[in-house]
């Protein structure tokens, strides 16, 4: 299967600081990248979808000014959590697909290993 | 009604047995379906994708799709303790919609 990396794997920061998470597709070109959040014992929650070179599409209830997403190339997307607070502590996971978001037939999504964010 | 429904489990099977995991979905428009495995504290790993009615086999895994009944299943043959994980069913409806997952416990 395709390989997606994510960095850092774990980050601890103080309340009010910003944290940037990188997601890279290592062996394929990711037309679309997705950002998810997962709280303990809950399922994945899609935060936003981004196509290379376009603005991200955010899910309802996700603050676009707080969670900044950049998909500058076909292999790299970044998520910046701005002015992080303890309630932002969660497991953030990116995924990448060679398909086009919104396509019903939808290509497979491959997930990165995740970033565990703890905000003190 | 939830868009993708799975029994949360836990589903407990003895080592070597067949584990059967089920998933139903509500929207008939869906055309692609996926099974992911997620170990505790880790991210999901794609196991199978299926797009057509019928069975699709890959090693010890068989995915079954019945669009008329809006039903997807995953069979794991010769279950091993290392298969113990949460199995997530996902349905593509312009974006992936995940079920809450079924926890599988394979007893040695």
């Amino acid at each position: 299967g395709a390989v997606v990396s994510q960095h850092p794997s774990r980050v601890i920061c103080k309340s009010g600081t910003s944290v940037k998470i990188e997601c890279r597709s290592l062996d394929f070109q990711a037309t679309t990248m997705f950002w998810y959040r997962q709280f303990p014992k809950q399922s994945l929650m899609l935060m936003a979808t981004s196509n290379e070179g376009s603005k991200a599409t955010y899910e309802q209830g996700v603050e676009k000014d707080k969670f900044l997403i950049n998909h500058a190339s076909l292999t790299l997307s970044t998520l910046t959590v701005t002015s992080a607070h303890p309630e932002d502590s969660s497991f953030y996971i990116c995924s990448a697909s060679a398909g086009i978001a919104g396509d019903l037939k939808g290509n497979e999504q491959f997930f990165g290993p995740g970033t565990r964010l703890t905000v003190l | 009604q939830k868009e993708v429904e799975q029994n949360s489990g836990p589903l407990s099977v003895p080592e070597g047995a067949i584990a059967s995991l089920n998933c139903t979905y509500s929207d008939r428009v869906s055309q692609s379906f996926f099974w992911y495995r997620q170990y505790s504290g880790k991210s999901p790993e794609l196991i199978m994708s299926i797009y057509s009615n019928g069975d699709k086999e890959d090693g010890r895994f068989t995915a079954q799709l019945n669009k008329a009944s809006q039903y997807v299943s995953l069979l794991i043959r010769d279950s091993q303790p290392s298969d113990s994980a949460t199995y997530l069913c996902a349905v593509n409806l312009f974006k992936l919609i995940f079920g809450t997952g079924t926890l599988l416990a394979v007893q040695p």
Side-chain angles (χ1 to χ4, degrees), chain A residues 1 5 25 29 33-34 36 38 49 56 67 72 74-75 82 84 95 98 101 106:
Chain A
S5 70
S25 58
Q29 292 188 322
M33 285 186 167
F34 305 83
Y36 294 84
Q38 187 175 36
T49 302
F67 299 100
L74 284 172
T75 59
T82 62
S95 72

Side-chain angles (χ1 to χ4, degrees), chain A residues 58 63-70 78-82:
Chain A
Y58 289 81
E63 300 174 59
K64 62 180 181 180
D65 295 330
K66 181 169 183 64
F67 299 100
L68 302 178
I69 291 171
N70 184 281
T78 59
L79 167 68
T80 301
V81 183
T82 62

Side-chain angles (χ1 to χ4, degrees), chain A residues 17-93:
Chain A
T17 60
S18 294
V19 175
K20 179 185 278 190
I21 303 170
E22 286 190 353
C23 177
R24 293 181 185 273
S25 58
L26 298 185
D27 54 2
F28 70 103
Q29 292 188 322
T31 308
T32 309
M33 285 186 167
F34 305 83
W35 287 94
Y36 294 84
R37 182 165 55 179
Q38 187 175 36
F39 292 106
K41 299 195 183 301
Q42 294 187 24
S43 193
L44 296 162
M45 185 192 83
L46 179 65
M47 299 176 66
T49 302
S50 72
N51 290 303
E52 182 264 340
S54 303
K55 286 186 178 180
T57 302
Y58 289 81
E59 294 298 300
Q60 192 172 7
V62 178
E63 300 174 59
K64 62 180 181 180
D65 295 330
K66 181 169 183 64
F67 299 100
L68 302 178
I69 291 171
N70 184 281
H71 190 167
S73 75
L74 284 172
T75 59
L76 173 65
S77 177
T78 59
L79 167 68
T80 301
V81 183
T82 62
S83 187
H85 288 93
E87 57 266 29
D88 298 324
S89 298
S90 188
F91 190 39
Y92 291 86
I93 315 171

Side-chain angles (χ1 to χ4, degrees), chain A residues 38 59 104-105 108-109 112, chain B residues 32 36 38 43 49 92 95:
Chain A
Q38 187 175 36
E59 294 298 300
L104 258 182
K105 290 218 170 162
E108 297 159 341
Q109 284 186 32
Chain B
S32 47
Y36 286 85
Q38 187 174 25
S43 67
S49 57
N92 186 37
K95 60 186 178 185

Side-chain angles (χ1 to χ4, degrees), chain B residues 11-84:
Chain B
L11 172 66
S12 184
V13 300
E15 184 174 354
I18 296 175
S20 177
L21 304 160
N22 303 314
C23 172
T24 57
Y25 60 95
S26 60
D27 201 311
R28 290 188 173 277
V29 176
S30 306
Q31 293 187 20
S32 47
F33 308 86
F34 307 89
W35 282 100
Y36 286 85
R37 175 175 62 196
Q38 187 174 25
Y39 292 110
S40 181
K42 303 294 184 183
S43 67
E45 172 192 7
L46 180 66
I47 299 175
M48 296 279 287
S49 57
I50 186 165
Y51 304 99
S52 305
N53 276 330
D55 295 359
K56 179 181 177 182
E57 187 174 317
D58 184 359
R60 295 188 294 115
F61 299 98
T62 299
Q64 300 173 318
L65 173 61
N66 183 326
K67 290 185 180 180
S69 301
Q70 295 174 240
Y71 176 92
V72 192
S73 66
L74 179 70
L75 300 178
I76 306 175
R77 289 181 298 281
D78 188 23
S79 295
Q80 301 297 310
S82 58
D83 294 326
S84 299

